[in-house]
Amino acid sequence: MAIKPLWAALLALGITGAQAGDLLQAWQAARQHDPDMAVAQAALQAGQTRRDQASALWRPTVAATATGGAMGAQTSTAGASFSAPGFGTSSNVGFNTSVDNSLGARWSLGARMPLYSPERTAQGRKLALSADLADVQWQAAEQALMLQTAERYFAVALAQDALRLLQRQQVAVNKALVEAQDRFQLGDTPVTDTHEAAARARAIDAQVLAAEVDLQIAQRALADTTGWPADALEVAPAPALSSSLALPALPQWLDQAAAANPGLRQQTLAVEVARQDVAQYSRGAGTTVDLVAQASREHLGGSGRYGQGSNTAQQHLVGVQITVPLYTGGQRGAREQELLHLQAKAEAELERTRQQVAQQTRAAWLRLQAGTARTEAQNAALRASQARLDATQLGRQVGDRTTLDLLNAQNDAAAAELALAQLRTTLTLERLRLLALTGQLDERALHAATVDAPATK
């Protein structure tokens, strides 16, 4: 299943409205300000260098050494054959040289290019996989910060709605209190109405104060992420779900999550890295074939046991070097067994992650599938509570309802409106989480999360 149809279908679950995409602006600010992104960016850049490291494993290496200082040497040769013009040939000849505490110099130049090395091959593959893993970790970090920004953004939106509704209710309660006091003075209502209205007024004052604190906390959290000034934050509410569109089938989302979930991709790459670790220590992996070139010269001159003397030696070599480890004391075998167990652990973790991702995707899809019905039910509850409030207000005017009845109806209407706002926020975040689970959360999704939001009342 292609990404675009799933993504587009999910983003279409909004209604038209008048708000701009402020969540996208919040994310863009968070990407520049949040320290987690700086950490993820540095990790990504470090991971990208591993591809160059993998390529460098098969390039020639050149090394030069030079040594100088006080040196001494003694050589003794016996049983040699000697011949020279005019001297004939002599057998069983001995040669002795000696140079003590004299200045000497030694230099060498060598080049090596690997031709065959299973261990180096596995190391190169592991480096390439590590680079891929860094890319996926970056995507996961980016989507995690997107979700965190969205959660903090809508926490502010919900806190704004709660404060607005409580302030509106506070005005209505205070109005009811004044009305109850006036009617009590006229002898039209008992004093209990006045007491009930006063108690409700004090309670709503406390709720407004708590809501103001909640809003300040939510604004501070969003400001910490975005770098925006906390006292100037104004955000758009979450949009409502449309009842005219349905989600694509669950198997499509499960297939997409299995293919593109960042956490699942990370664990899959971790298994491949573990397999390459095992390959580095498998039987025969230590055998190497290298093309080598070497040149060296050593010179030592000075006085010795037999008088003045000097030694000079020069060597050069161009050829192929084969190295076969015959016995390592059991270290390679023990290391291979350890890595095999770690590979089994990574494979088990992959299966666990696969199950978790499928469960989370299924749960998010089911909650969204029920979102339309839940929204319609909550809308019906809001309409019913508003109708009850209108009827109670009319009944209070004609004396059929008490002040307490009116206050309860006002409270129920405000609670129903806040519950609808909470549901919209929950479903909006659920949509974003489903996109993140399937590796599709990006700036377009963040923009769509608020661009279609209804205007704040």
Side-chain angles (χ1 to χ4, degrees):
M1 179 64 185
I3 290 178
K4 185 176 179 181
L6 291 176
W7 190 95
L10 191 55
L11 294 187
L13 296 175
I15 60 172
T16 58
Q19 284 291 345
D22 294 327
L23 177 55
L24 177 58
Q25 297 171 7
W27 154 245
Q28 291 170 342
R31 185 170 54 187
Q32 300 298 323
H33 178 78
D34 195 280
D36 287 341
M37 287 305 296
V39 173
Q41 180 69 36
L44 174 64
Q45 292 171 346
Q48 290 172 342
T49 65
R50 292 171 191 153
R51 291 190 176 89
D52 295 333
Q53 296 177 47
S55 299
L57 288 173
W58 295 97
R59 295 177 187 148
T61 58
V62 180
T65 62
T67 306
M71 301 175 64
Q74 292 186 8
T75 63
S76 178
T77 302
S81 176
F82 174 80
S83 64
F87 291 93
T89 301
S90 299
S91 301
N92 199 25
V93 178
F95 295 96
N96 295 304
T97 65
S98 174
V99 179
D100 299 323
N101 298 323
S102 300
L103 295 177
R106 179 187 300 128
W107 63 262
S108 66
L109 180 66
R112 178 185 299 269
M113 186 175 75
L115 300 178
Y116 171 80
S117 174
E119 184 174 353
R120 196 178 290 260
T121 298
Q123 185 180 1
R125 290 171 180 168
K126 187 171 71 171
L127 286 168
L129 289 168
S130 296
D132 294 339
L133 182 59
D135 293 338
V136 177
Q137 288 172 337
W138 162 259
Q139 180 189 4
E142 187 177 51
Q143 294 203 354
L145 183 58
M146 284 184 179
L147 278 177
Q148 181 190 79
T149 303
E151 289 168 354
R152 293 184 175 183
Y153 179 93
F154 286 120
V156 174
L158 199 56
Q160 287 178 175
D161 282 344
L163 180 58
R164 173 180 56 82
L165 290 171
L166 286 170
Q167 288 174 337
R168 191 176 71 188
Q169 193 176 357
Q170 185 181 40
V171 172
V173 169
N174 288 333
K175 180 180 178 181
L177 174 59
V178 172
E179 182 181 349
Q181 291 172 340
D182 291 343
R183 297 183 71 170
F184 170 71
Q185 291 176 358
L186 295 174
D188 191 31
T189 58
V191 70
T192 53
D193 278 14
T194 303
H195 294 328
E196 290 168 350
R200 189 62 63 89
R202 287 192 294 271
I204 200 67
D205 289 343
Q207 292 175 22
V208 168
L209 180 59
E212 290 173 346
V213 172
D214 290 342
L215 177 58
Q216 291 175 12
I217 294 173
Q219 288 174 329
R220 183 68 265 169
L222 182 58
D224 288 343
T225 295
T226 61
W228 290 349
D231 56 356
L233 285 175
E234 289 291 337
V235 302
L241 284 179
S242 171
S243 60
S244 60
L245 293 172
L247 283 170
L250 176 59
Q252 298 178 18
W253 291 103
L254 292 175
D255 291 343
Q256 182 64 35
N261 178 267
L264 191 54
R265 290 174 61 197
Q266 287 183 68
Q267 197 58 49
T268 301
L269 288 170
V271 170
E272 293 301 321
V273 169
R275 290 172 178 167
Q276 296 307 317
D277 281 335
V278 173
Q280 282 188 259
Y281 287 86
S282 61
R283 185 179 300 274
T287 300
T288 60
V289 179
D290 299 312
L291 179 64
V292 295
Q294 297 174 347
S296 64
R297 184 178 189 276
E298 180 178 326
H299 175 76
L300 175 63
S303 62
R305 182 180 303 176
Y306 309 105
Q308 294 293 322
S310 67
N311 289 335
T312 301
Q314 295 185 103
Q315 293 182 340
H316 66 272
L317 167 69
V318 176
V320 175
Q321 177 177 297
I322 300 174
T323 303
V324 180
L326 300 178
Y327 181 66
T328 62
Q331 188 273 339
R332 290 185 66 89
R335 179 61 173 159
E336 182 184 10
Q337 289 303 310
E338 177 192 3
L339 293 173
L340 282 170
H341 292 306
L342 291 176
Q343 176 185 331
K345 175 177 176 288
E347 290 171 347
E349 290 173 343
L350 172 60
E351 184 58 31
R352 181 182 63 187
T353 302
R354 184 178 289 113
Q355 291 180 0
Q356 290 174 344
V357 168
Q359 291 170 358
Q360 293 167 0
T361 302
R362 184 179 292 104
W365 185 87
L366 290 172
R367 284 191 289 265
L368 278 174
Q369 189 73 4
T372 301
R374 293 171 62 193
T375 301
E376 291 175 351
Q378 195 59 54
N379 277 322
L382 178 59
R383 290 191 297 269
S385 64
Q386 188 60 52
R388 178 192 172 199
L389 175 58
D390 293 341
T392 304
Q393 287 174 335
L394 180 60
R396 181 70 182 87
Q397 292 172 2
V398 299
D400 291 338
R401 293 289 186 271
T402 65
T403 300
L404 181 60
D405 293 334
L406 178 59
L407 295 175
N408 288 336
Q410 290 171 343
N411 182 73
D412 292 343
E417 189 170 346
L418 181 59
L420 181 59
Q422 291 172 334
L423 178 59
R424 287 177 172 177
T425 299
T426 298
L427 295 176
T428 298
L429 289 173
E430 205 67 63
R431 286 152 55 191
L432 296 179
R433 292 190 187 101
L434 184 55
L435 289 173
L437 284 167
T438 54
Q440 302 179 75
L441 182 59
D442 56 17
E443 291 189 352
R444 294 180 300 168
L446 296 182
H447 177 67
T450 52
V451 71
D452 292 332
T456 303
K457 296 182 180 178

